[in-house]
Amino acid sequence: MSTVTQNAARDPVAIRDGLLCGPLSQLAQVRLAGSKCTNCGETSLGTVKICPNCGRDSVQNIALGNRGVLWSFTIVRHRPPGNYKGPDPFVPFGMGLVELPEGLRVLSPIQCDIDKLKIGLALQFKPYVRHDDDRDVVAFGFEPTQG
Amino acid sequence: MSDVVIIGAGMHPFGRIDKTYEEIGADAASAALRDAGIEWSQIQAAYLSRMYLPATSGARILRRLGSTDMSITDIEAACASGGAALRQGVLAIRSGEVDLVMVLGCEKMPRGFMDPSMIYSPWQIELGMSLNPAYWSMRAQRHIYEYGTTELQIAKVAYKNHKNSVHNPYAMYRKEFSLEEILNSPPVCDPIRRLEICAPDDGAAAVVIASAKRARELGASGKAINIAACCHTIARYSADFRCPADSMSATANNPGPTEVTGKQAYERAGLGPKDIDCFEVQDTDAFCEIEIYEALGLCPLGEGGKLIDEGKTDIGGDMPVNMSGGLISKGEPVGASHLGQVVEIVTQLRGQAGPRQVANAKVGLAHVLGAGGNCAVTIMQR
């Protein structure tokens, strides 16, 4: 009984409500959530009620594709300020805009050797579980496609 | 002839200042009043531009100048706060309710990267996507890819601005750096280097503005500088990739905030980029200045790098930019930065800029751009 309670308490949560879709306990099925507007055709990141482009409520929730291409990037050379949850001591990392087939570019950490970063790099979505003190959080990045 | 004019301008040097924000702000406000030749008690309304100061900072600063019951309002629009505040002052005068207004910009900021919780959501901070220069750098990287802009061209902007700053007593850093020193300075977020970005700091700048009629009555018409346009906008949908954006459209094709605000200001002033004799623009990083050359119409899209190569934006060039040394040298006390630019343009248009003077400057433009795509453009004319 106590085990069940403990497991229930550790049900993973998304790093932000409405940003991810799919069962969070099965990482292979987790995707970025998107909203496609049937009026203007724009797809935006996350679950929204009103299209941020045309302002109509004609949006459908969709799962965004898990493959994309690096559109631009930078290398973060200094530990970001505030409650950064990355490695301590700090390790420089790539961050970039990943262009997805639905017509949007999503900002994400890019998990690869920083020397490998280049515009056009083929990437895949990489959700992962982060163990915070009191909960398991599903966070995400993108990594180079394998094969 | 414009209906609202600047009759006084004053500034506290930008830098890391061992004084309270109230002291820094009151110094700049007093300097603007002295320059205008008027008393505090004559002012009918005041606006404070600030981002990082506490509530009612405007009243806290300006009460130091004497008892008042007039409306004093704090205005915040990120890096464009100063433009938004000046616009409120102009609109107040145009409404006819007041005809003599103080617009003050003041900020006091901690060293290092800006407090991310002011701008970013917790999840962005947790993933490390909360470093403002990272956003500037991704735009630079893409511009390099699309247009062949070079890291040397970006460094040349920093070289020019550091060089100009030597002659500006209001700048934080007044040191010239060689191109080699700039290119050898460590990257902060590739491809942007330490000597190519601005630092947050402290500072204040103020103007006294009046209706043209009131300026005449005060006998201040002779030195008055016309505000030909003062515009503030925020970026349209996906028109600008700047913090704290988490994504952008790959299909929407909206013009960027500098293009939109610049066009609005040019139209209201009845002027175009060729009519402007000197510019002060947002150079939070050296690449940003190149991007703004293009967005303000100083050159076609993709040719900003060529403009710096040709020296056209030097003080002796056809279209001088950031004669003051820009934010790269002055630092960016966010709420004060646009008013600081306005004070520089006023100084230039009065022919009082000393070694950094642009010969025979009659029209100047000040531009700021920041978080959320907040953009302001003010065009001034003598």
Side-chain angles (χ1 to χ4, degrees):
Chain A
M1 191 65 190
S2 65
T3 312
V4 172
T5 311
Q6 200 176 14
N7 281 345
R10 297 294 288 196
D11 276 350
V13 294
I15 188 163
R16 194 201 81 190
D17 276 351
L19 192 60
L20 302 173
C21 59
L24 293 180
S25 54
Q26 294 172 56
L27 283 185
Q29 293 177 44
V30 172
R31 298 283 182 273
L32 283 170
S35 300
K36 183 172 173 61
C37 179
T38 55
N39 177 52
C40 73
E42 278 293 324
T43 298
S44 46
L45 178 65
T47 306
V48 298
K49 290 194 174 116
I50 294 173
C51 171
N53 182 41
C54 69
R56 303 275 186 88
D57 61 2
S58 49
V59 286
Q60 291 173 340
N61 299 335
I62 60 168
L64 297 175
N66 62 350
R67 294 207 168 205
V69 171
L70 192 57
W71 189 80
S72 192
F73 68 94
T74 186
I75 299 165
V76 178
R77 299 275 180 181
H78 296 268
R79 188 181 182 83
N83 187 27
Y84 172 56
K85 299 275 195 184
D88 193 10
F90 174 75
V91 180
F93 67 96
M95 167 175 157
L97 279 161
V98 183
E99 186 159 327
L100 300 178
E102 290 80 9
L104 81 165
R105 301 172 189 133
V106 176
L107 183 62
S108 173
I110 310 296
Q111 295 159 344
C112 73
D113 185 339
I114 54 176
D115 298 329
K116 298 266 171 20
L117 291 164
K118 62 167 190 178
I119 290 174
L121 186 66
L123 298 165
Q124 62 190 22
F125 183 61
K126 173 79 186 308
Y128 61 92
V129 177
R130 193 182 73 207
H131 303 288
D132 288 0
D133 291 341
D134 55 345
R135 54 185 198 157
D136 290 344
V137 176
V138 180
F140 71 94
F142 276 81
E143 64 180 7
T145 50
Q146 284 138 19
Chain B
M1 188 64 182
S2 117
D3 53 346
V4 181
V5 299
I6 297 171
I7 62 166
M11 196 161 162
H12 188 292
F14 289 3
R16 300 213 165 89
I17 304 159
D18 191 21
K19 292 183 191 173
T20 64
Y21 76 84
E22 291 97 329
E23 292 171 310
I24 299 168
D27 280 358
S30 298
L33 289 169
R34 271 197 308 278
D35 185 53
I38 63 161
E39 301 289 328
W40 170 238
S41 57
Q42 293 174 270
I43 297 285
Q44 300 155 336
Y47 296 89
L48 172 73
S49 153
R50 55 90 178 158
M51 182 171 178
Y52 286 83
L53 298 183
T56 73
S57 290
R60 293 199 223 186
I61 294 168
L62 292 168
R63 271 192 190 133
R64 293 177 164 242
L65 304 185
S67 174
T68 178
D69 59 4
M70 71 180 165
S71 169
I72 298 179
T73 314
D74 290 11
I75 306 281
E76 188 274 316
C79 302
S81 297
L86 184 56
R87 178 171 172 273
Q88 289 304 314
V90 169
L91 294 177
I93 289 174
R94 284 205 189 128
S95 78
E97 190 173 293
V98 292
D99 57 15
L100 199 53
V101 170
M102 159 85 61
V103 183
L104 168 67
C106 182
E107 206 75 79
K108 192 165 177 69
M109 302 174 70
R111 288 181 83 117
F113 296 119
M114 293 182 187
D115 174 5
S117 64
M118 290 285 284
I119 294 174
Y120 301 94
S121 301
W123 70 278
Q124 294 174 296
I125 297 169
E126 290 169 17
L127 289 182
M129 304 197 291
S130 56
L131 216 54
N132 299 0
Y135 294 72
W136 314 334
S137 298
M138 281 183 276
R139 290 203 316 281
Q141 195 75 262
R142 187 68 197 183
H143 201 272
I144 288 170
Y145 177 81
E146 285 188 21
Y147 303 111
T149 304
T150 66
E151 294 187 29
L152 178 61
Q153 287 168 334
I154 295 172
K156 282 181 181 177
V157 172
Y159 172 79
K160 167 181 72 70
N161 293 355
H162 283 299
K163 189 175 175 191
N164 290 351
S165 75
V166 172
H167 303 294
N168 184 3
Y170 295 105
M172 173 162 67
Y173 303 121
R174 298 178 62 191
K175 187 167 181 266
E176 193 171 341
F177 293 94
S178 68
L179 274 173
E180 196 181 10
E181 284 174 298
I182 293 165
L183 287 165
N184 285 331
S185 67
V188 175
C189 288
D190 306 48
I192 302 298
R193 299 174 168 85
R194 183 172 292 166
L195 288 175
E196 297 171 336
I197 65 168
C198 77
D201 64 350
D202 315 333
V207 290
V208 174
I209 60 174
S211 66
K213 179 168 174 282
R214 184 69 190 271
R216 278 194 300 277
E217 288 163 6
L218 289 166
S221 298
K223 65 174 176 184
I225 300 294
N226 300 323
I227 300 177
C230 180
C231 303
H232 167 234
T233 72
I234 62 162
R236 294 179 192 173
Y237 171 72
S238 213
D240 184 60
F241 184 70
R242 207 166 293 272
C243 64
D246 56 22
S247 59
M248 65 183 287
S249 171
T251 54
N253 196 23
N254 284 321
T258 297
E259 208 179 324
V260 169
T261 322
K263 188 162 179 273
Q264 201 181 89
Y266 287 142
E267 281 174 8
R268 291 191 185 166
L271 299 166
K274 297 270 185 292
D275 303 313
I276 313 286
D277 301 313
C278 56
F279 299 80
E280 286 283 314
V281 308
Q282 183 89 15
D283 60 333
T284 25
D285 67 292
F287 166 71
C288 192
E289 186 175 310
I290 289 179
E291 195 179 30
I292 286 155
Y293 294 163
E294 299 169 8
L296 284 178
L298 275 60
C299 65
L301 184 64
E303 294 184 17
K306 198 173 143 208
L307 208 63
I308 189 79
D309 278 343
E310 290 169 346
K312 291 204 171 156
T313 56
D314 290 348
I315 286 176
D318 295 347
M319 40 189 104
V321 176
N322 284 331
M323 302 73 66
S324 69
L327 306 183
I328 284 178
S329 313
K330 289 187 293 192
E332 191 192 14
V334 175
S337 74
H338 188 67
L339 274 307
Q341 294 176 323
V342 167
V343 172
E344 173 68 17
I345 298 287
V346 167
T347 308
Q348 291 282 346
L349 301 186
R350 287 175 176 173
Q352 296 170 344
R356 63 182 198 285
Q357 179 66 45
V358 171
N360 201 27
K362 290 192 172 69
V363 187
L365 179 151
H367 160 276
V368 275
L369 173 63
N374 269 285
C375 182
V377 172
T378 302
I379 298 177
M380 290 151 275
Q381 201 168 16
R382 92 168 132 89

